[in-house]
Amino acid sequence: MAAEATRDLKALTPRQMAWYRFTRNPTAIIGALMVISVVLVAALAPLIAPYPEHAGAAVNFRARHAPPDLAYWLGTDKVGRDILTRVVYGFRVSLLLVVGVLAVAVPLGAALGLAAGYFGGWTERIITGLTNVMLAIPPLVMALAVGNVLEPNLVNAMIAITLLWWTWHARLVYRVSKSIAAEDFVEAARLAGASHWHVLTREILPNCISVISVKTTLDAAFVILFGATLSFLGLGVKPPTPDLGSMVADGRQFLPQMWWGVLAPGFAIFYATLGFNLLGDGLRDMFDVEV
């Protein structure tokens, strides 16, 4: 029986083997389900939120600081808004931040990393030098500087995070592409007369997709946490837009009596970041790569 199972595994294609490893990884499945649940909650927020109007500037001082009960499952905040509703909409803001940041940082970093690893020479020296200079700047310091100059809102929070986030992808793709560029199949493509664009997009980039996918998934967790940190410091999303970080900042003023104001959004941040981290670890095992 064991021999037959071994033969069956050997008959699988690399893609099928990768999927087999992923489905046999319990933490990866749990992470995927957690991420899917966060995405569904964010997408269906207007339908599942108990009080959709509380996602805005609504106030209800009669229900101010109400503890969790049947009417308000996670309690209310300092102006009587339902915390569950604001957590649900807070997931939407966090995911918009992830999409906005990574949609710019990943392609930019990957393109610069590919160019540096493939062309070498002065192209490599300029890109790696710029990357090293940007990496020397603490991300939080840069974000605080941008946040102090620009008006706190979702777009400016994306700008603040994106300014440095591309560097990690540039360095990772540079390391991988430089190694791949020395392979025989790349040299064969060059000798066959393939253009630089063809070699970069058809020969090297497909071999970088696995590490980019893993890095992007892990980065999603860090972007959520980083965005929550900016909002906690008052430099992220502007009220009354529901944001998990600003909800924690508002709720901490009333600890320990009104503990639900911090516990609910804090757990939401933990849940989302844990889900992306577990999924990223699962993808890393599936592709068998190091990032």
Side-chain angles (χ1 to χ4, degrees):
M1 183 68 72
E4 292 179 1
T6 302
R7 285 197 300 270
D8 290 340
L9 290 178
K10 289 182 178 179
L12 297 177
T13 65
R15 189 171 297 181
Q16 291 172 331
M17 177 59 73
W19 177 248
Y20 176 84
R21 286 197 298 265
F22 183 83
T23 56
R24 294 302 185 276
N25 188 336
T27 58
I29 299 300
I30 293 173
L33 292 175
M34 292 172 71
V35 169
I36 291 171
S37 67
V38 170
V39 173
L40 287 177
V41 166
L44 301 176
L47 299 178
I48 64 177
Y51 304 93
E53 65 276 9
H54 288 190
V59 295
N60 181 17
F61 288 111
R62 291 184 178 180
R64 182 173 183 265
H65 288 313
D69 57 20
L70 293 179
Y72 304 103
W73 289 6
L74 298 180
T76 62
D77 62 10
K78 62 183 179 182
V79 294
R81 294 174 300 196
D82 179 51
I83 291 178
L84 175 58
T85 295
R86 294 185 66 79
V87 166
V88 168
Y89 277 88
F91 276 140
R92 175 175 285 192
V93 172
S94 294
L95 291 181
L96 284 175
L97 185 63
V98 168
V99 172
V101 170
L102 297 183
V104 176
V106 175
L108 176 61
L112 292 175
L114 281 172
Y118 174 70
F119 290 110
W122 63 268
T123 303
E124 178 182 0
R125 288 193 293 271
I126 291 175
I127 293 175
T128 55
L130 175 62
T131 302
N132 290 334
V133 168
M134 299 299 288
L135 283 171
I137 304 173
L140 186 57
V141 173
M142 174 65 84
L144 291 175
V146 173
N148 276 315
V149 173
L150 302 177
E151 179 185 359
N153 56 47
L154 184 61
V155 174
N156 292 336
M158 291 179 185
I159 295 173
I161 299 175
T162 306
L163 281 175
L164 290 177
W165 215 275
W166 64 267
T167 56
W168 304 103
H169 290 270
R171 172 174 281 189
L172 175 65
V173 175
Y174 161 71
R175 189 177 72 240
V176 176
S177 61
K178 188 172 180 64
S179 174
I180 296 173
E183 295 290 339
D184 292 339
F185 68 89
V186 175
E187 186 62 29
R190 289 194 192 117
L191 294 175
S195 64
H196 292 314
W197 178 256
H198 175 90
V199 174
L200 282 170
T201 59
R202 299 295 182 87
E203 307 294 340
I204 298 180
L205 181 59
N207 290 284
C208 298
I209 293 298
S210 57
V211 293
I212 293 174
S213 300
V214 174
K215 178 65 174 170
T216 301
T217 306
L218 293 173
D219 276 357
F222 287 110
V223 170
I224 291 173
L225 191 59
F226 204 78
T229 301
L230 287 181
S231 295
F232 180 84
L233 297 173
L235 299 173
V237 178
K238 190 174 182 179
T241 303
D243 180 83
L244 300 176
S246 58
M247 290 175 67
V248 173
D250 290 341
R252 69 176 177 143
Q253 306 173 42
F254 305 101
L255 287 174
Q257 289 82 8
M258 289 73 177
W259 49 267
W260 53 88
V262 170
L263 181 64
F267 179 79
I269 295 171
F270 168 78
Y271 182 86
T273 55
L274 178 62
F276 278 107
N277 274 314
L278 292 178
L279 178 59
D281 287 340
L283 291 177
R284 181 164 52 193
D285 294 339
M286 182 177 82
F287 293 123
D288 194 22
V289 297
E290 292 293 333
V291 296

